[in-house]
Amino acid sequence: VVSTQSTGSSGINAEYGLHSEDGTTMTTLSQFLSALLSICCMILLGFADDVLNLRWRHKLILPTVASLPILMVYYVTYNNTYIVTPFPIPQLTGITVFNLRFLYYVYMGMLAVFCTNAINILAGVNGVEVGQSVVIALSLLINSLLNLNTDALAEHMFCLYLVCPFIGVSLALLYYNWYPSEVFVGDTFCYFAGMTFAVLGILGHFSKTMILFFIPQVFNFLLSVPQLFHILPCPRHRLPRLHPTEDVLTMSVVKFKTSDVGVLGRFCLFLLTTFKLINVEYDDNETITMSNLTILNVVLKAMGNTHERTLTIYMLIIQVVCSCIGFMIRYQAVRLFYDD
């Protein structure tokens, strides 16, 4: 027989184990529920994208909507919008911490949008999207294990509770998604992985550290900006092309007239060709043939036409090397900008 008498919400919480002496149990429960809600919403929206083939502007709105549960829980339970200013700002201004207020929530919302689309933008090559997600998740796992003896134990335990099942699921999926793929993950997995990373970064309170493990994705985004914002023409699909006679991938290209490019577009072409990030060809009809602005094409330009499985291996090696660089920045180079 369960007694129906209680002394308000605290009595109910104590009766069902939802309240502890330090008041952390309800907070932890709300974080887990909001995390699962955001992830499940993103899975549903990813499925809708696979079925309905949504436009790019919708892909910016959907992660923002799905991130609302974790943002609301962050506001209710933590609501810390202060950032520590790096060197040399404290020496010049005397300001060691700065309150971003509402802008901090804008940053976290943009983080959710970036994480989901950063994984999705490289989709289409067998094993790349799942493989890079596994490397990022393993990096987060190692980072949390390194911080178990710090004051942020609860936050990193939260990360471990979510990242360990994610790694297990992704490794099993990678086995079947590796070339020749038996399973195609689509936007559903990409959104699922991206929102999982966003949840860990926001509710785990280490979003800056998480961004360090997204170095290839950040590079790919910056490289893609001229096409994403239509400074240069952007086709709907920018994946490498399969050579018609050989079993290798080649750089995908886009063709356009020189008159279609403005001053800013010509400046972008100059920078990209100067740093040898793209191939550009001009013909007599004032038509420009340009390789699309993706990290996959950059790798193909550097390594030459290659097999799909080999390209995936190159991308995973880049992801691992960049994760190692992220760890060096997080635990060594950071001392140059922040006090211990």
Side-chain angles (χ1 to χ4, degrees), residues 10 22 25 28-29 40 57 82 93 101 104 117 123 129 148 159 184 198 249 258 282 308 311 326 328:
S10 60
D22 58 0
T25 304
T28 303
L29 178 62
C40 289
R57 59 175 174 266
Y82 287 88
T93 64
R101 301 182 186 277
Y104 195 82
N117 287 286
E129 54 266 62
L148 291 182
C159 175
F184 299 101
L249 295 179
T258 55
Y282 299 87
E308 184 172 354
L311 178 59
M328 292 176 60

Side-chain angles (χ1 to χ4, degrees), residues 39-288:
I39 293 172
C40 289
C41 285
M42 206 64 244
I43 292 175
L44 177 61
L45 296 174
F47 175 75
D49 190 10
D50 281 328
V51 174
L52 302 177
N53 199 15
L54 301 177
R55 302 180 68 86
W56 268 106
R57 59 175 174 266
H58 299 139
K59 297 182 181 182
L60 299 179
I61 299 174
L62 298 182
T64 304
V65 174
S67 66
L68 290 178
I70 56 175
L71 294 182
M72 289 188 292
V73 168
Y74 184 91
Y75 175 79
V76 172
T77 61
Y78 198 67
N79 196 28
N80 185 356
T81 57
Y82 287 88
I83 61 170
V84 180
T85 55
F87 174 86
I89 295 177
Q91 288 74 12
L92 296 176
T93 64
I95 300 175
T96 57
V97 294
F98 184 77
N99 190 2
L100 291 177
R101 301 182 186 277
F102 177 73
L103 291 178
Y104 195 82
Y105 290 91
V106 175
Y107 156 73
M108 290 190 290
M110 293 175 63
L111 180 67
V113 174
F114 170 77
C115 288
T116 52
N117 287 286
I119 302 296
N120 186 42
I121 200 171
L122 293 177
V125 177
N126 289 339
V128 167
E129 54 266 62
V130 184
Q132 66 179 354
S133 298
V134 169
V135 175
I136 295 172
L138 288 173
S139 301
L140 293 174
L141 172 65
I142 295 172
N143 178 70
S144 291
L145 292 176
L146 293 174
N147 287 274
L148 291 182
N149 292 326
T150 65
D151 294 336
L153 173 63
E155 288 79 4
H156 289 286
M157 287 300 298
F158 172 83
C159 175
L160 292 177
Y161 289 143
L162 290 182
V163 79
C164 288
F166 176 82
I167 292 173
V169 169
S170 298
L171 284 175
L173 180 59
L174 181 61
Y175 177 81
Y176 291 99
N177 186 238
W178 193 260
Y179 184 92
S181 177
E182 299 178 37
V183 174
F184 299 101
V185 298
D187 293 335
T188 304
F189 173 80
C190 296
Y191 286 165
F192 160 65
M195 183 54 68
T196 300
F197 295 142
V199 164
L200 296 177
I202 294 173
L203 296 183
H205 312 305
F206 51 82
S207 58
K208 296 190 295 295
T209 300
M210 187 190 66
I211 289 295
L212 294 176
F213 301 136
F214 274 77
I215 293 177
Q217 288 73 26
V218 172
F219 172 79
N220 185 68
F221 169 74
L222 295 177
L223 178 65
S224 302
V225 162
Q227 285 191 315
L228 295 179
F229 291 92
H230 297 286
I231 300 172
L232 293 172
C234 180
R236 180 166 180 80
H237 299 290
R238 305 184 300 160
L239 291 173
R241 299 176 301 175
L242 182 64
H243 195 279
T245 58
E246 303 176 15
D247 189 19
V248 294
L249 295 179
T250 63
M251 291 186 293
S252 62
V253 298
V254 58
K255 294 184 179 182
F256 52 91
K257 298 288 186 180
T258 55
S259 57
D260 296 335
V261 181
V263 176
L264 185 57
R266 289 192 290 271
F267 178 70
C268 291
L269 281 174
F270 170 76
L271 288 180
L272 292 168
T273 52
T274 300
F275 289 100
K276 299 181 178 180
L277 295 174
I278 60 172
N279 280 345
V280 179
E281 297 178 358
Y282 299 87
D283 63 18
D284 297 335
N285 296 324
E286 296 186 348
T287 300
I288 301 176

